[in-house]
Amino acid sequence: MDLLDFSDCKLYFEDELPAEAERLIAQAAQDYGDPAAELALLRAHLLAPEHLTVLVSLYRYYFYQHRLDEVLIVADHAKRVSARHLGIPNDWRLINEAQLGSAATTSFGLLRFYLLALKAESVVLLRLGRIAESRDRLTRLATLDSRDHLGAAKLLEVIDEFQSENPAPAEELSPTLVAA
């Protein structure tokens, strides 16, 4: 399956967003840097808790605020919402190629979103120094994306190269690895 082929697919942000949630997201962008921004996003989340545009907005807000634990919570929620709509298991370890193919026929754009959310979660885990957890996700993603369109295999190569050049425990290496 070509994960770069976007022809004839619906993207996550094409679903209608309640007007008030859209207004709150715009308000959060305007208020960025002020605590009111987070409150606006959380109110939007209350209005549309499973809308992926709201979840992406929350993810980005927390990511740019360096609140990585919250990022992981939002990414996991986005994956669960996507998995339910795609008819695939909530647990990424249980997804097989047949299920991926079926999910692609349901919504290729949403499947790509799910896989990118899994990759994003892996990157955040790297930044947190949780190398083994990140590696597990990236390895699974690389298996599912044999052409490496999403770059998981390349990221694994970087991790392996870094760890081979710095044979210290992963916990000691992570700040340097993720700063790159």
Side-chain angles (χ1 to χ4, degrees):
M1 159 178 4
D2 186 354
L3 293 174
L4 293 179
D5 180 12
F6 284 102
S7 60
D8 204 27
C9 73
K10 183 178 176 186
L11 302 174
Y12 75 88
F13 51 81
E14 292 175 343
D15 288 338
E16 189 171 344
L17 183 63
E20 180 62 8
E22 190 170 347
R23 186 194 70 73
L24 288 164
I25 290 171
Q27 185 66 48
Q30 187 176 12
D31 292 342
Y32 188 79
D34 185 300
E38 181 178 10
L39 291 175
L41 290 173
L42 292 173
R43 287 179 55 210
H45 186 251
L46 285 173
L47 291 170
E50 296 199 346
H51 198 288
L52 295 177
T53 298
V54 173
L55 294 175
V56 167
S57 298
L58 271 171
Y59 175 94
R60 287 179 176 166
Y61 177 81
Y62 289 134
F63 186 83
Y64 293 122
Q65 293 290 313
H66 305 285
R67 293 171 55 185
L68 301 181
D69 290 324
E70 286 96 336
V71 170
L72 288 177
I73 292 167
V74 174
D76 184 64
H77 184 58
K79 283 188 356 240
R80 289 178 184 277
V81 168
S82 302
R84 187 175 61 253
H85 288 293
L86 292 167
I88 58 177
N90 278 334
D91 186 342
W92 53 269
R93 292 170 284 233
L94 302 177
I95 299 171
N96 61 42
E97 289 183 29
Q99 292 165 325
L100 255 177
S102 177
T105 62
T106 300
S107 174
F108 184 79
L110 187 58
L111 174 60
R112 193 167 193 285
F113 175 88
Y114 174 88
L115 294 172
L116 286 171
L118 182 59
K119 181 182 176 189
E121 192 176 62
S122 300
V123 170
V124 171
L125 288 166
L126 279 174
R127 292 188 72 169
L128 289 169
R130 294 163 57 182
I131 307 298
E133 292 174 75
S134 176
R135 180 187 299 281
D136 289 344
R137 285 164 176 77
L138 289 169
T139 300
R140 185 71 188 129
L141 188 53
T143 301
L144 296 171
D145 178 19
S146 60
R147 294 185 183 171
D148 198 32
H149 288 310
L150 301 178
K154 295 230 185 299
L155 208 48
L156 282 168
E157 287 175 18
V158 170
I159 293 167
D160 290 342
E161 181 179 329
F162 185 84
Q163 288 187 320
S164 70
E165 292 173 3
N166 300 285
E171 301 82 43
E172 295 175 22
L173 299 177
S174 59
T176 308
L177 175 63
V178 296

